[in-house]
Amino acid sequence: METLTKAKEMPKAYDPKKVEGRLYEFWEKGGFFKPRIDPNKRPFVISMPPPNVTGELHLGHAIVDTIEDIMIRWHRMKGDPTLWLPGSDHASIAVHYVIDKGLTSRSPEMDGLLKDIGFPPPPGRKSLARQDLGREWFLKLGWAWRERYSGIIKKQHERLGASCDWSRERFTMDPGLSRAVRESFVRLYNKGLIYRGQYLANRCPRCGTVVSDLEVVHEEERGKLYYVRYPLTGGDDEYVTVATTRPETILGDTAVAVHPGDQRYKDVVGRYAILPVLGRTIPIIADESVDPSFGTGAVKVTPAHDPTDYEIGQRHKLQFINVMNPDGTMNQYAGIYAGMDRFACRKALVAHLEGQGLLAKVEDYVHAIGHCQRCDTILEPSISEQWFVKTKPLALPAIAAVRDGRIRIIPERFTKIYHNWMENIRDWCISRQLWWGHRIPVWYCDACGKESVTVEETLPACLQCGSDRVRQDPDILDTWFSSALWPFSTLGWPEETDDLKYFYPTSVLETAYDILFFWVARMIMMGLECTGDIPFDTVYLHGMIRDERGMRMSKTKGNVVNPLDVMDEFGTDALRFTLVTGSTPGNDMKLSRQKVENSRNFTNKLWNAARFVLQAIENKEEVKPLPVQEIPEERLLLPDQWILSRHHRLCAEVDRLMADYQFGEAGRQIYEFLWGEFCDWYIEASKIRLYGHDPEARAATMSILLYVLERTLRLLHPFMPFVTEEIWQHLLFSKAAAMVLPNLPGEPALFTSKEGGRGSIMVAPYPQAEERYYNDAAEREMGLVLEIVRAIRNARVEFEVEPNRRIAALIAAGSNAGWLGDQAAVIAALARVDPERLAIAPHLAEKPSQALGLVVGTVEVLLPLAGMIDLAAEQARLEREMAATESEIARAVALLGNASFVSRAPANVVEKEKEKLAALQERLDKLFRRKEALRA
RNA sequence: GGGCGAAUAGCUCAGCCGGGAGAGCAUCUGACUUACAUUCAGAAGGUCACAGGUUCGAGCCCUGUUUCGCCCACCA
């Protein structure tokens, strides 16, 4: 591809900005994001949670993209046919909210859109409401808005490196998905699972619509509890006192209720009270639901404005009087308060009651009030005619699917939360008095008065009587209704498309835990109902991202971190790596700049390690690196065997962790290996042979450097797609390519794009562990070498040896002397010991009089530092070490002296303890002799 | 009122199957050693919230307690 220009040499610094956009384009144009369909393999499929078209991406989207992209890239590299289907959600109420705000404030953006759609511009700067536009214009505005933001959203997914199949992008209001909405509505309607009726629902006066129970946010607030006297009829100054937090609802009272067993009121039950202000006569009734211990034990009953009262009203066949308009003002049933706002009415009514001497008392009272999830306005429960989904019959199979393990929820604790909600599920109010969304597919006939339901977009004539005097229900459906169909509506349902047959059910549904009920639970119900199958087999829930202080990010708090800013500064890979390694499933994470910076440093480290390896190969013209498999065994030295063993164990571990959805831990393991083992030790040790005179040794070293680097790039690719691809491309163009490519198992076609273009790391096979490289002896021996080096470095610093000074070292290695002797060059280089004055032998022939004595395992290291050693200090150091060793010996002795430990602990644990004790004793002995020698 | 999560180094967090606790950042020493100062070498720092229990052995399992956070719930 021309988009990738071959660079002869890797630039000194990695610049994400110059790389990321170019690579994304290369991937997308190369067709790498599209699934390679194989009828014989089960595909791996994720439906991307569709972001709302309300605005730009935030960190919540970034973590979704990151985790899903990791899963997707991993499966794709493993050779699974892999589909990640992207899209966006029309988000009706959320879009209404942002458009309303733009219209009210006459924001330049909204005015611009109005101009674009050709809406006659209203004069002046007067604020607009959606009613000023009317339904048609408002919908045009919605589409214009959607057009703008879906483009922005796609760009942001690209920035994040999301390898989703854009050719299958969907929008919840696409014709096909809209058709799926109507189809499912009709099916449920025909089965009696969707019904219409007068029920109590939460209405948001600001949004102008009812919302479902889930959209109610309960918040504790300080309010007042008003005690109001209701005079009794036919009595002398008799009254019953009730308590209420919402005095304005008194206007809708149709009864007073007490508990049937309440002795205080047993004489008034059956009598009547006079409703204050309005003077209506209302009955006093007995109902079990009243709590005699609360307030006065008598409660006013407002069936049209309170859920409990609604039920009392039903039981006692009371009158339902709705006293408010949809916008929160009082209606004609409110008497003199008609037209007044509900809260103004409250104030006026309380004053009125007080004036009449009917206000007994007012208490401060903290209670939970329902707010609108979208705009935070206090909701008004009120009765109205709405559409509902009967959820209990849908919940039963959904509960079973999770209970019997067909669907697994990660982390597991959410399973309990899911069941708790499902088992207590209430009917779902799905109608909304809004415009932007799917119109309810029901038509009412003015001729016969019956209703018709159809999957067709329009209905020319009544299905019952044929009259053309039909009008569609003005309401639209809850956004989540269409979201609930997402896993299959996006694949073509209700048509039996090839995609639906092949890709459904999908594999993993990954999202934030806060929409478990809104979305996940409903997808399971609707999936089972509509397709007869589960919509996905695994639910993976991630946590929320908070700011550095653990606060929830919100626009009003002003603490929102824009992922674009972070990516601009540190690169996409750094942000992704931070998000995934800094979190565990289901737990919230705090994001800080420092964490991202650290990840950026890691990309830099990787970049430079790669630069080192490539330069090492390119600069040695005469040497031909071999595939690792072809390196003669005698050429594989201890560090080689060690890094190969470590690398293959890493592959096994990463594979296990990925399969177990522990992506963060997998990322951390790769980080540890790459930085702490490959860079810190292997590369440093390799320099000896790389800069040495033996061409075959050089070749072998290069081979291993390249082999381990290239495979680790592939391991890391799902986490950090850009930097790994960029380096990998440099490898492809290097002389090393000939060596790298034959080493990759699998079909060659995998490495090329669908069009047969250049290869990409994203379709190269994911590295698998090969047990023949496991080498316990090499790991143990190299471990000792590293310990010796660390001990010498440590001593150098402690005794203030100049950093550049090469010192002498004598190592008494006992039975280890043979193989350890072979590592002399490594020890000398890494510990800055003079190779000429490094002696490794079973025992030391001569012991220098003034020397530091280090005991490393069973090996003794003497550093003759004549003139630099403070004898007293050295003596003290040795004594400290002896004391520490003695206390460890004491523990081991006690443990092994414990008969029950020896008899009941597993044999290998006991054996390990014995070996440890022996080693400790040897160490103590050596330290003691060292101290004696010092004295001599 | 129910339920869930968290509590581990100064800070932010890992820690799988129970077998003498780790990382990053911050701090302190030192180093421009030819991949990398976005680096390297080294140091210091922990009663794993508390109290019991199970076990030969507990950060991990069980019971209770405390603190913080979250979710669900129609006490007006």
Side-chain angles (χ1 to χ4, degrees):
Chain A
M1 293 228 94
E2 300 76 31
T3 46
L4 281 180
T5 47
K6 174 183 165 180
K8 280 231 160 57
E9 210 170 286
M10 290 172 71
K12 271 211 153 156
Y14 173 64
D15 184 353
K17 277 191 209 153
K18 286 189 183 150
V19 169
E20 292 172 358
R22 170 166 52 84
L23 286 181
Y24 196 90
E25 196 186 337
F26 161 63
W27 290 331
E28 195 182 355
K29 284 192 178 163
F32 294 115
F33 296 160
K34 292 183 185 162
R36 286 166 185 265
I37 293 170
D38 177 345
N40 300 316
K41 279 186 181 171
R42 267 199 72 190
F44 180 80
V45 184
I46 296 179
S47 307
M48 181 191 284
N52 291 352
V53 287
T54 40
E56 305 189 10
L57 233 68
H58 56 253
L59 280 168
H61 300 111
I63 197 165
V64 166
D65 279 22
T66 300
I67 295 174
E68 294 181 15
D69 197 42
I70 285 172
M71 289 192 260
I72 287 288
R73 285 180 189 267
W74 180 58
H75 278 277
R76 187 158 39 218
M77 290 177 78
K78 277 164 59 109
D80 298 329
T82 302
L83 171 64
W84 190 14
L85 190 147
S88 50
D89 194 304
H90 67 282
S92 65
I93 193 168
V95 165
H96 269 268
Y97 180 64
V98 292
I99 292 185
D100 281 355
K101 273 209 317 199
L103 289 174
T104 308
S105 65
R106 294 291 300 274
S107 69
E109 179 183 26
M110 202 56 65
D111 270 7
L113 283 179
L114 284 173
K115 208 173 153 195
D116 290 349
I117 63 171
F119 181 73
R125 307 299 304 169
K126 189 169 125 321
S127 78
L128 292 172
R130 66 167 145 129
Q131 286 75 16
D132 295 327
L133 274 71
R135 192 163 193 145
E136 299 273 304
W137 282 112
F138 188 89
L139 288 178
K140 276 187 191 161
L141 186 59
W143 282 105
W145 176 274
R146 183 257 163 181
E147 210 53 50
R148 168 166 306 177
Y149 278 94
S150 63
I152 293 176
I153 288 168
K154 186 188 173 195
K155 278 208 176 61
Q156 289 172 317
H157 286 308
E158 291 175 4
R159 284 282 323 256
L160 283 158
S163 61
C164 45
D165 182 359
W166 290 108
S167 72
R168 285 181 168 84
E169 185 183 5
R170 296 288 182 270
F171 176 57
T172 46
M173 277 167 69
D174 285 345
L177 279 77
S178 299
R179 157 85 201 220
V181 166
R182 294 193 300 273
E183 177 75 29
S184 57
F185 185 99
V186 171
R187 286 194 193 185
L188 289 169
Y189 178 92
N190 288 337
K191 287 177 80 172
L193 293 173
I194 283 182
Y195 62 92
R196 181 174 182 241
Q198 289 266 351
Y199 293 96
L200 202 75
N202 294 288
R203 175 177 291 280
C204 175
R206 200 222 61 84
C207 295
T209 180
V210 296
V211 297
S212 68
D213 295 338
L214 272 181
E215 288 159 274
V216 180
V217 180
H218 293 278
E219 280 168 31
E220 293 260 298
E221 271 182 31
R222 272 200 293 266
K224 304 274 187 205
L225 188 59
Y226 302 88
Y227 289 76
V228 183
R229 295 190 181 112
Y230 285 19
L232 297 178
T233 57
D236 275 346
D237 207 21
E238 281 184 291
Y239 52 81
V240 59
T241 305
V242 299
T244 181
T245 53
R246 294 190 295 155
E248 67 279 12
T249 62
I250 285 173
L251 302 168
D253 282 2
T254 53
V256 169
V258 297
H259 191 269
D262 195 330
Q263 291 305 307
R264 292 172 295 177
Y265 296 109
K266 78 177 188 329
D267 294 335
V268 298
V269 172
R271 293 180 62 181
Y272 291 84
I274 300 165
L275 191 64
V277 185
L278 293 182
R280 192 159 61 223
T281 301
I282 56 175
I284 297 169
I285 57 175
D287 192 278
E288 291 282 347
S289 68
V290 179
D291 176 4
S293 65
F294 185 87
T296 62
V299 57
K300 63 192 268 316
V301 182
T302 324
H305 286 285
D306 182 273
T308 312
D309 295 3
Y310 174 82
E311 284 171 17
I312 296 176
Q314 294 234 301
R315 279 196 288 274
H316 297 270
K317 302 200 166 25
L318 300 174
Q319 217 187 331
F320 290 68
I321 305 174
N322 186 338
V323 294
M324 283 181 215
N325 295 310
D327 65 357
T329 58
M330 308 307 291
N331 67 15
Q332 69 272 23
Y333 297 107
I336 55 167
Y337 299 106
M340 197 182 265
D341 176 76
R342 53 187 171 152
F343 296 120
C345 170
R346 175 180 299 177
K347 216 172 152 186
L349 187 61
V350 168
H352 191 161
L353 292 170
E354 200 168 15
Q356 295 196 337
L358 293 175
L359 190 65
K361 61 173 170 173
V362 181
E363 283 177 354
D364 288 331
Y365 188 62
V366 177
H367 62 142
I369 299 179
H371 290 70
C372 176
Q373 184 196 37
R374 191 54 51 193
C375 69
D376 208 38
T377 303
I378 293 176
L379 296 170
E380 198 59 48
S382 52
I383 196 162
S384 56
E385 184 145 75
Q386 302 294 340
W387 287 94
F388 293 84
V389 172
K390 196 185 276 183
T391 43
K392 286 229 158 43
L394 298 173
L396 289 174
I399 290 167
V402 172
R403 182 149 290 151
D404 66 23
R406 276 177 293 151
I407 297 176
R408 175 188 174 202
I409 302 178
I410 300 168
E412 205 202 334
R413 64 186 148 91
F414 285 100
T415 305
K416 201 170 165 184
I417 297 173
Y418 170 86
H419 279 124
N420 184 49
W421 187 77
M422 268 300 185
E423 280 155 14
N424 298 297
I425 197 165
R426 290 182 311 203
D427 283 358
W428 173 17
C429 176
I430 49 170
S431 46
R432 297 288 181 274
Q433 292 69 54
L434 299 171
W435 293 336
W436 175 247
H438 302 101
R439 191 117 173 221
I440 289 177
V442 177
W443 274 258
Y444 306 107
C445 178
D446 288 334
C448 70
K450 291 181 180 156
E451 62 191 37
S452 305
V453 176
T454 176
V455 298
E456 301 308 321
E457 213 169 342
T458 56
L459 186 73
C462 173
L463 295 175
Q464 318 292 335
C465 72
S467 161
D468 63 354
R469 288 167 57 204
V470 286
R471 56 197 160 76
Q472 189 172 9
D473 192 302
D475 286 358
I476 60 160
L477 288 164
D478 182 2
T479 300
W480 296 104
F481 190 92
S482 60
S483 313
L485 316 176
W486 185 252
F488 46 95
S489 64
T490 50
L491 294 172
W493 187 90
E495 304 298 323
E496 267 289 313
T497 59
D498 289 345
D499 271 8
L500 187 68
K501 276 186 266 187
Y502 186 64
F503 293 116
Y504 190 83
T506 67
S507 311
V508 178
L509 186 282
E510 194 280 339
T511 192
Y513 63 74
D514 64 339
I515 52 175
L516 178 62
F517 307 142
F518 278 109
W519 193 42
V520 181
R522 285 162 175 173
M523 277 190 288
I524 296 175
M525 290 193 285
M526 294 297 259
L528 287 164
E529 173 63 26
C530 294
T531 71
D533 206 345
I534 52 171
F536 31 74
D537 54 53
T538 302
V539 175
Y540 179 102
L541 299 168
H542 64 255
M544 321 294 284
I545 305 200
R546 295 162 182 280
D547 72 2
E548 308 180 53
R549 292 172 307 162
M551 306 286 280
R552 233 187 156 112
M553 290 187 187
S554 74
K555 279 183 188 162
T556 44
K557 283 195 198 115
N559 60 348
V560 177
V561 176
N562 185 342
L564 294 175
D565 294 341
V566 181
M567 290 188 280
D568 280 344
E569 186 170 3
F570 298 110
T572 297
D573 293 327
L575 175 62
R576 288 171 57 120
F577 198 73
T578 307
L579 290 176
V580 73
T581 55
S583 66
T584 39
N587 290 334
D588 295 352
M589 81 168 286
K590 293 175 203 165
L591 185 77
S592 70
R593 192 191 146 78
Q594 277 171 343
K595 289 183 189 174
V596 189
E597 197 174 336
N598 181 244
S599 301
R600 188 273 317 265
N601 293 353
F602 177 50
T603 60
N604 183 253
K605 188 74 182 174
L606 175 59
W607 181 261
N608 281 297
R611 232 158 45 87
F612 171 80
V613 172
L614 266 182
Q615 280 171 12
I617 291 164
E618 298 290 323
N619 291 344
K620 306 280 176 180
E621 292 298 331
E622 82 283 12
V623 177
K624 288 195 186 69
L626 297 166
V628 162
Q629 295 86 331
E630 291 168 27
I631 301 174
E633 204 154 316
E634 67 274 15
R635 284 285 173 197
L636 287 180
L637 306 185
L638 179 62
D640 306 330
Q641 294 164 6
W642 170 76
I643 199 71
L644 289 172
S645 180
R646 296 298 306 147
H647 172 79
H648 279 275
R649 283 193 206 277
L650 173 72
C651 293
E653 191 62 2
V654 167
D655 220 49
R656 187 184 71 79
L657 290 166
M658 298 291 280
D660 199 30
Y661 297 90
Q662 297 192 51
F663 310 117
E665 190 57 25
R668 284 187 287 271
Q669 300 258 356
I670 300 169
Y671 175 102
E672 294 285 329
F673 171 80
L674 207 46
W675 200 321
E677 297 186 298
F678 185 64
C679 291
D680 285 352
W681 294 107
Y682 187 74
I683 285 187
E684 292 310 316
S686 76
K687 288 176 181 172
I688 303 161
R689 276 181 292 161
L690 224 42
Y691 302 143
H693 301 295
D694 179 349
E696 283 186 42
R698 280 207 297 271
T701 309
M702 287 173 200
S703 299
I704 293 161
L705 281 168
L706 192 54
Y707 173 86
V708 175
L709 171 70
E710 192 277 330
R711 283 179 57 105
T712 310
L713 282 175
R714 279 188 275 142
L715 271 187
L716 186 62
H717 179 257
F719 300 84
M720 297 188 142
F722 291 110
V723 71
T724 50
E725 176 76 286
E726 181 68 2
I727 295 171
W728 206 77
Q729 293 294 335
H730 279 285
L731 294 185
L732 277 194
F733 278 113
S734 75
K735 281 199 307 189
M739 203 204 117
V740 177
L741 287 174
N743 270 338
L744 298 173
E747 43 174 331
L750 267 182
F751 304 105
T752 55
S753 71
K754 279 200 143 177
E755 287 76 23
R758 263 257 306 294
S760 164
I761 190 175
M762 65 176 279
V763 288
Y766 205 66
Q768 296 299 302
E770 291 171 50
E771 287 187 20
R772 65 197 164 102
Y773 288 107
Y774 291 1
N775 192 330
D776 288 336
E779 291 197 31
R780 197 174 51 245
E781 289 171 4
M782 189 67 182
L784 185 62
V785 170
L786 302 189
E787 258 191 273
I788 291 169
V789 171
R790 273 192 283 254
I792 298 175
R793 283 174 176 173
N794 185 332
R796 293 178 60 114
V797 172
E798 196 175 338
F799 287 86
E800 295 176 340
V801 178
E802 297 94 316
N804 285 321
R805 177 167 159 201
R806 301 262 166 194
I807 60 171
L810 309 172
I811 298 178
S815 59
N816 292 317
W819 66 262
L820 195 58
D822 295 337
Q823 304 310 317
V826 172
I827 294 170
L830 297 179
R832 295 201 162 260
V833 168
D834 182 356
E836 304 292 312
R837 293 186 292 150
L838 171 62
I840 300 174
H843 305 285
L844 296 180
E846 49 176 309
K847 305 205 175 182
S849 54
Q850 278 210 358
L852 273 181
L854 313 172
V855 180
V856 183
T858 58
V859 171
E860 202 176 349
V861 181
L862 290 185
L863 304 179
L865 294 169
M868 298 197 64
I869 299 169
D870 177 342
L871 281 179
E874 172 63 354
Q875 182 117 3
R877 186 184 69 86
L878 287 166
E879 275 165 12
R880 271 203 314 275
E881 290 208 20
M882 282 172 71
T885 310
E886 274 162 2
S887 87
E888 280 191 63
I889 287 173
R891 288 192 78 266
V893 167
L895 195 55
L896 288 164
N898 184 335
S900 46
F901 171 73
V902 178
S903 61
R904 306 188 69 158
N908 62 323
V909 174
V910 177
E911 196 49 41
K912 222 169 90 184
E913 204 58 41
K914 280 183 184 164
E915 282 169 18
K916 197 191 281 175
L917 178 60
L920 284 168
Q921 277 163 339
E922 195 179 336
R923 176 179 165 82
L924 182 65
D925 182 55
K926 288 198 162 100
L927 286 167
F928 176 74
R929 291 213 310 267
R930 207 38 238 155
K931 205 181 90 179
E932 290 302 298
L934 209 60
R935 190 174 294 166

